[in-house]
Amino acid sequence: MGFCLGFTVQSQTKGIWTWCVPHPTNPSHSLIPRDTESLGDVKKEGQSLAMASENIMPSPVCLIENVKGQLRTNQEALSILSAIHRPVVVVAIVGLYRTGKSYLMNKLAGKKTGFSLGSTVQSQTKGIWMWCVPHPQKPDDTLVLLDTEGLGDVAKGDNQNDCWIFALAILLSSTFVYNSMGAINQHALDQLQCSPDHPELEDSDEYVSFFPDFVWTLRDFSLELKINGQSISADEYLENSLKLLQGTSQKEKEKKLNLPRLCIRKFFPTKKCFVFERPAPGKKLGQLESLQDQDLDSDFVVQVAEFCSYVYRSSKVKRISGGLKVNGPRLNSLVTTYVNSISNGCLPCMENAVLALAETENSAALQKAIAHYDQQMSQRVQLPTKTLQELLDLHRTCEKEATKIFMEHSFKDVNQVFLTKLEMELEKKQGEFCKKNQKVSSDHCLSLLRDIFGPLEEDVKQGVYYKPRGYSLFNQKIQELKKKYYEEPGKGVQAEEALKEFLQTKEDITEAILQTDQSLTEKERVIEVERVKAEAAESASKLLEEMRRKNEQLMEQKEQIHQERMEQLREKMEREQEQLREEQRRAMEHKIWEEKKIKQECEKLREENEDLREKAEHKCVIS
């Protein structure tokens, strides 16, 4: 009788699944949705995307080159990413070579041509190619499409290279598309194990938070979606195919067969499946780029439209561990870090990439915060300030704003290394402003004193005060000029210090006039000298008190700023902890849900095996 082939997705022969589908040559073609109401939006999205995409990239460029088995980044592509500051939705496609991956990516880009389709058995795509286009449904995001080198190319002869391409596609994407031919079978599942290292299944909740969504696209699918005579959806078909196998003669073999099923179920947060008819008959497959809508299988056109609509609608912005949204520069950093790790003979590690990205992000956040402080202080501060407190209040306001900006843009600042750098830099800048404020005030006061006391100095040179009662007249004039000085506005924080230092330079003149005044007795001269000394001591005491008060103000403000910074840090940490708890909650829910399903499947298989054993024993008894 031979094997029972069947035409449904359910195996007709228990224990052995057999799939017979046409062997593919080139199933690639463009997406032109039907002109119907339900698909009209998809068509419009594709048209508008095709027009707008030229504003970013008119055609794909190679992101990661594969030269003689060695991966390296392409600086042109990295420069393009660096200029994209919007969040990115990254869709990567992986699968065997010559299975039409590039065709699907062209349709997502809204173009008939772009990624190389090819029409021969030779693999066309080498490395990973990138196309950045405006997102058709989310104007605040950019859609980044990654078309990967085909797996299993016999010309390479090295499975390690496939493993790196596969791993990079998962690590870089927010939606991971696995493209295969025909039905889901063990061979197709085994291809999904193509990665350099398998994370422990027990730690799946740590990976599910940053693993991409999973989409399986089945090309040239010719079977009926039925199980036990009942029609099922493509998603139900995928779910049924991922059920665990049990009852094989060897436990190790059973474990090997189930490993890819467990990996898909436990690591990927969401799973979706699409099936596609053969797009066109015969040799027309080699002309897909030029074929029109009416030349394609009508079901195929609808299926591709549904696939694109789902990706547009459901694909999320790429995030990394910690919930940080990835934009172009951040994706650049991830690509560079992963490829460098591979070049250095290491595994591409998410943790290392996050740490490298955090270094870049925090450095940029630090510079952004300092730039904001500099800009705001230059706009708000008019030197000299009337009082030190006025300057400190302005510093405190700008410092608080700068710290807030740093908190908003920093990421995983371990042990607050960069926050401490910001604190030290702003404290340094505060000191510089204080010194500059003092100098501007001193220079202004000195100029003012020279103008006010200029006529007095001229009178002294003319000998106006070297006469009887001259000292009294000189001292009276000094008091008048001091009063005039005090009445002048805008002197700043060094008003007293500048006056004291200026008058100290006139002490010799004062002493000479005092000694020359013959109307004064010796006793009166001594009393006057003591009075001047007492006045100078009092002035010095006031200046010391002023310095003490300024130091207290500085210390008080430093403590206030520290408390405010700690409050900002506490709020940031609470937000990050809440984000982490939410990630862990979703991951745990996914893990519990999958483990519950696996337990149910195992129990069902155990019961089936028990029934088979009892039937076998019963048959033996009858015999």
Side-chain angles (χ1 to χ4, degrees):
M1 292 179 62
F3 292 111
C4 179
L5 301 183
F7 293 93
T8 72
V9 297
Q10 184 181 21
S11 172
Q12 302 299 307
T13 305
K14 299 299 183 181
I16 301 177
W17 287 57
T18 306
W19 308 100
C20 294
V21 295
H23 188 280
T25 55
N26 186 353
S28 307
H29 194 64
S30 60
L31 167 61
I32 305 178
R34 280 183 171 180
D35 188 14
T36 64
E37 183 174 355
S38 61
L39 298 177
D41 289 342
V42 177
K43 184 175 181 179
K44 293 174 184 176
E45 288 161 5
Q47 291 171 343
S48 63
L49 181 56
M51 295 174 62
S53 64
E54 295 183 2
N55 296 330
I56 297 182
M57 291 177 63
S59 61
V61 298
C62 187
L63 174 64
I64 301 174
E65 300 171 346
N66 187 2
V67 181
K68 296 181 180 180
Q70 298 297 314
L71 301 181
R72 65 188 185 193
T73 56
N74 179 9
Q75 292 305 311
E76 178 189 357
L78 295 180
S79 297
I80 292 172
L81 284 179
S82 295
I84 300 173
H85 295 283
R86 293 180 176 180
V88 292
V89 176
V90 187
V91 180
I93 191 167
V94 168
L96 294 175
Y97 79 108
R98 306 307 315 125
T99 56
K101 301 185 302 298
S102 299
Y103 140 79
L104 285 180
M105 303 309 276
N106 285 340
K107 296 310 108 191
L108 288 175
K111 294 290 190 70
K112 293 184 67 174
T113 60
F115 291 111
S116 177
L117 300 186
S119 57
T120 69
V121 296
Q122 184 182 17
S123 175
Q124 297 296 310
T125 304
K126 295 296 181 183
I128 297 179
W129 284 68
M130 175 187 77
W131 203 350
C132 303
V133 298
H135 198 292
Q137 292 186 353
K138 303 169 184 176
D140 293 334
D141 301 337
T142 294
L143 182 62
V144 178
L145 304 172
L146 301 181
D147 186 18
T148 66
E149 178 176 332
L151 307 178
D153 186 355
V154 293
K156 289 189 293 186
D158 182 9
N159 187 56
Q160 183 66 58
N161 196 258
D162 284 349
C163 291
W164 294 135
I165 296 293
F166 189 96
L168 287 170
I170 289 180
L171 290 169
L172 295 174
S173 64
S174 54
T175 294
F176 176 80
V177 181
Y178 179 58
N179 194 66
S180 67
M181 303 300 295
I184 299 175
N185 54 28
Q186 190 62 43
H187 176 70
L189 287 167
D190 289 340
Q191 289 296 323
L192 276 165
Q193 287 183 250
C194 185
S195 60
D197 190 26
H198 294 297
E200 293 298 327
L201 293 175
E202 291 77 8
D203 299 330
S204 61
D205 52 327
E206 296 181 14
Y207 294 89
V208 73
S209 61
F210 62 83
F211 255 51
D213 293 339
F214 178 80
V215 178
W216 197 328
T217 53
L218 301 170
R219 312 296 292 278
D220 290 5
F221 191 83
S222 61
L223 302 178
E224 292 184 75
L225 287 173
K226 286 185 177 181
I227 294 181
N228 297 326
Q230 300 294 320
S231 296
I232 59 173
S233 66
D235 291 339
E236 290 171 331
Y237 171 49
L238 174 60
E239 183 178 353
N240 185 73
S241 300
L242 296 179
K243 287 182 178 179
L244 300 183
L245 302 179
Q246 193 168 334
T248 58
S249 57
Q250 301 176 25
K251 287 296 180 182
E252 284 300 318
K253 181 179 179 181
E254 178 183 308
K255 182 179 179 181
K256 182 178 179 181
L257 292 175
N258 283 326
L259 182 58
R261 292 173 169 83
L262 287 170
C263 287
I264 296 172
R265 292 174 62 162
K266 289 199 169 188
F267 294 127
F268 292 102
T270 65
K271 294 170 281 292
K272 185 73 177 175
C273 183
F274 289 92
V275 298
F276 301 91
E277 301 285 341
R278 191 175 179 86
K283 294 184 178 180
K284 285 188 175 181
L285 290 175
Q287 309 165 9
L288 288 177
E289 292 182 358
S290 60
L291 292 180
Q292 300 299 315
D293 185 11
Q294 59 269 22
D295 299 323
L296 301 174
D297 182 274
S298 59
D299 288 336
F300 173 79
V301 173
V302 174
Q303 290 160 352
V304 173
E306 291 173 347
F307 165 78
C308 290
S309 180
Y310 171 82
V311 172
Y312 294 152
R313 182 180 68 255
S314 301
S315 294
K316 305 178 184 69
V317 168
K318 171 67 177 175
R319 293 176 183 267
I320 60 175
S321 179
L324 181 69
K325 287 185 177 181
V326 175
N327 57 14
R330 290 167 184 164
L331 186 59
N332 177 335
S333 178
L334 293 177
V335 171
T336 302
T337 304
Y338 291 142
V339 174
N340 287 344
S341 295
I342 293 172
S343 299
N344 293 329
C346 303
L347 295 177
C349 174
M350 169 65 76
E351 183 179 358
N352 291 341
V354 169
L355 290 176
L357 180 58
E359 184 80 14
T360 302
E361 288 290 310
N362 292 331
S363 295
L366 176 63
Q367 295 306 314
K368 187 173 293 187
I370 292 173
H372 176 83
Y373 174 87
D374 289 341
Q375 179 191 44
Q376 293 302 309
M377 286 294 284
S378 65
Q379 291 177 356
R380 299 180 188 185
V381 176
Q382 297 295 325
L383 299 180
T385 58
K386 186 176 181 180
T387 63
L388 174 63
Q389 191 60 50
E390 179 184 342
L391 178 62
L392 295 181
D393 288 344
L394 287 170
H395 166 79
R396 181 179 175 186
T397 299
C398 296
E399 189 272 350
K400 189 173 182 179
E401 292 175 3
T403 303
K404 182 179 180 182
I405 288 174
F406 175 81
M407 296 293 187
E408 290 173 349
H409 293 88
S410 63
F411 172 67
K412 289 188 178 297
D413 183 15
V414 180
N415 298 325
Q416 290 81 57
V417 172
F418 284 88
L419 181 60
T420 302
K421 288 182 180 180
L422 176 62
E423 180 179 359
M424 293 172 64
E425 184 66 23
L426 294 183
E427 188 173 344
K428 176 183 175 183
K429 287 181 175 293
Q430 181 197 49
E432 291 172 351
F433 266 105
C434 288
K435 289 180 180 179
K436 187 176 181 181
N437 192 39
Q438 290 176 344
K439 186 177 188 307
V440 171
S441 175
S442 294
D443 292 346
H444 177 68
C445 289
L446 182 58
S447 176
L448 187 62
L449 287 165
R450 286 171 178 169
D451 289 342
I452 292 174
F453 282 82
L456 176 64
E457 293 178 347
E458 189 63 31
D459 288 344
V460 170
K461 289 180 182 178
Q462 297 297 326
V464 173
Y465 300 104
Y466 292 98
K467 62 183 181 180
R469 300 191 60 81
Y471 179 78
S472 178
L473 293 173
F474 178 79
N475 194 49
Q476 183 180 351
K477 191 62 176 179
I478 289 286
Q479 299 305 317
E480 290 175 1
L481 295 178
K482 285 174 63 176
K483 181 180 180 182
K484 183 177 179 181
Y485 171 77
Y486 281 128
E487 290 173 350
E488 287 290 332
K491 296 185 293 296
V493 296
Q494 292 296 101
E496 288 293 335
E497 181 71 17
L499 177 60
K500 174 178 175 290
E501 291 178 356
F502 182 82
L503 292 178
Q504 282 177 343
T505 64
K506 310 303 177 187
E507 287 180 353
D508 291 344
I509 297 174
T510 303
E511 180 66 20
I513 293 174
L514 175 62
Q515 296 301 327
T516 305
D517 192 344
Q518 298 176 354
S519 65
L520 296 174
T521 65
E522 184 62 29
K523 184 177 180 181
E524 287 175 328
R525 288 191 183 96
V526 172
I527 293 173
E528 185 59 26
V529 168
E530 292 300 322
R531 184 192 68 78
V532 171
K533 289 182 178 179
E535 188 177 87
E538 183 181 1
S539 177
S541 178
K542 286 182 179 179
L543 286 174
L544 288 173
E545 178 61 24
E546 178 66 17
M547 291 178 62
R548 186 192 64 78
R549 191 174 64 82
K550 287 179 179 179
N551 287 332
E552 285 183 352
Q553 286 178 315
L554 288 169
M555 293 303 296
E556 287 176 2
Q557 192 203 45
K558 186 175 182 180
E559 179 61 25
Q560 289 173 342
I561 288 175
H562 176 72
Q563 293 299 329
E564 289 173 354
R565 187 180 292 116
M566 290 300 99
E567 179 63 20
Q568 288 175 304
L569 180 61
R570 184 189 62 79
E571 292 175 356
K572 177 180 174 63
M573 293 179 66
E574 285 182 354
R575 291 194 299 270
E576 291 178 346
Q577 287 296 321
E578 181 60 31
Q579 173 71 28
L580 179 61
R581 285 193 294 269
E582 179 62 20
E583 289 180 5
Q584 291 173 340
R585 183 190 63 78
R586 290 197 299 265
M588 187 56 66
E589 287 180 353
H590 175 81
K591 181 177 182 179
I592 292 173
W593 183 73
E594 283 295 344
E595 288 180 347
K596 182 179 179 182
K597 288 183 61 179
I598 291 172
K599 185 176 181 181
Q600 291 173 344
E601 290 174 20
C602 290
E603 181 62 25
K604 183 177 180 181
L605 288 171
R606 188 191 64 78
E607 292 175 356
E608 290 176 354
N609 287 338
E610 184 66 23
D611 289 341
L612 289 173
R613 187 184 63 79
E614 290 178 356
K615 289 179 181 179
E617 290 178 354
H618 181 67
K619 185 176 181 180
C620 290
V621 171
I622 294 176
S623 300

